Amino acid sequence: MNDQQEEILREKYCNKYRKIKNIRLYKEIPVFSRSVDLVQYDLKANVITAIEFKINDWKRAIKQLENVAMCFDYLVLCIPKPKTEKCVNNIKSACDEKGIGLCFWDDVNDLIHYECQPKQIIDIWNIQRRQIIAYLDNRED
């Protein structure tokens, strides 16, 4: 059930951002022994962003992002907006501390918005990053 809900959330994100010029979105990109839910590739800026979608267990999603951090310019977590302000603040604090962008889906208004902007990752494994970009360049999505 969560997988279906995460797919719906990913589609909502894609519907919002696929219309932007020079932005390409790629689902389920293999990195190491796992796959990233979505990679956003800004062709003009030559920037790749790993995005993880979670309905539950946002802490697990942060760990997943940290595991691939060395390959991407930015990391983003996208989740449904929590019902309580305390929970919102806890998640924002955790993402801010790690430099991870935070995107909330507001189910009441059916809107996706950025709560925290991601910080650029400085220590990147450039060989692996270039391999991911080459993979994206050869994939039709």
Side-chain angles (χ1 to χ4, degrees):
M1 180 83 169
N2 277 348
D3 288 344
Q4 291 173 336
Q5 291 173 317
E6 286 173 10
E7 177 60 27
I8 291 167
L9 182 56
R10 180 170 61 185
E11 279 307 308
K12 288 180 182 295
Y13 184 95
C14 288
N15 287 340
K16 179 174 182 172
Y17 289 97
R18 74 170 39 110
K19 300 169 193 161
I20 299 173
K21 187 178 181 183
N22 296 317
I23 297 290
R24 300 289 180 267
L25 302 171
Y26 301 88
K27 298 176 186 175
E28 300 299 332
I29 300 303
V31 179
F32 304 131
S33 61
R34 60 174 309 272
S35 68
V36 175
D37 289 343
L38 188 72
V39 173
Q40 184 171 304
Y41 183 15
D42 183 330
L43 301 170
K44 188 174 182 179
N46 193 32
V47 167
I48 54 174
T49 302
I51 305 170
E52 285 293 328
F53 297 85
K54 282 288 181 260
I55 299 301
N56 299 309
D57 202 0
W58 58 268
K59 290 179 183 177
R60 181 171 170 256
I62 286 177
K63 287 179 184 165
Q64 289 175 301
L65 286 166
E66 289 177 318
N67 287 338
V68 297
M70 68 183 74
C71 305
F72 291 90
D73 300 296
Y74 296 97
L75 307 172
V76 172
L77 169 63
C78 186
I79 61 173
K81 185 174 182 180
K83 302 296 181 206
T84 68
E85 201 60 33
K86 181 179 180 183
C87 191
V88 167
N89 290 334
N90 286 342
I91 298 168
K92 281 174 58 175
S93 177
C95 287
D96 273 341
E97 179 183 311
K98 298 176 182 300
I100 295 172
L102 177 59
C103 207
F104 282 143
W105 171 56
D106 176 356
D107 64 340
V108 174
N109 299 308
D110 196 25
L111 295 172
I112 289 185
H113 69 279
Y114 272 84
E115 192 71 24
C116 305
Q117 292 299 318
K119 295 180 179 104
Q120 188 168 15
I121 297 170
I122 305 301
D123 194 18
I124 293 181
W125 184 11
N126 282 311
I127 293 170
Q128 186 64 32
R129 182 183 175 280
R130 284 193 297 272
Q131 286 180 346
I132 292 169
I133 290 174
Y135 178 86
L136 299 177
D137 286 341
N138 290 315
R139 185 166 158 179
E140 300 282 327
D141 261 21

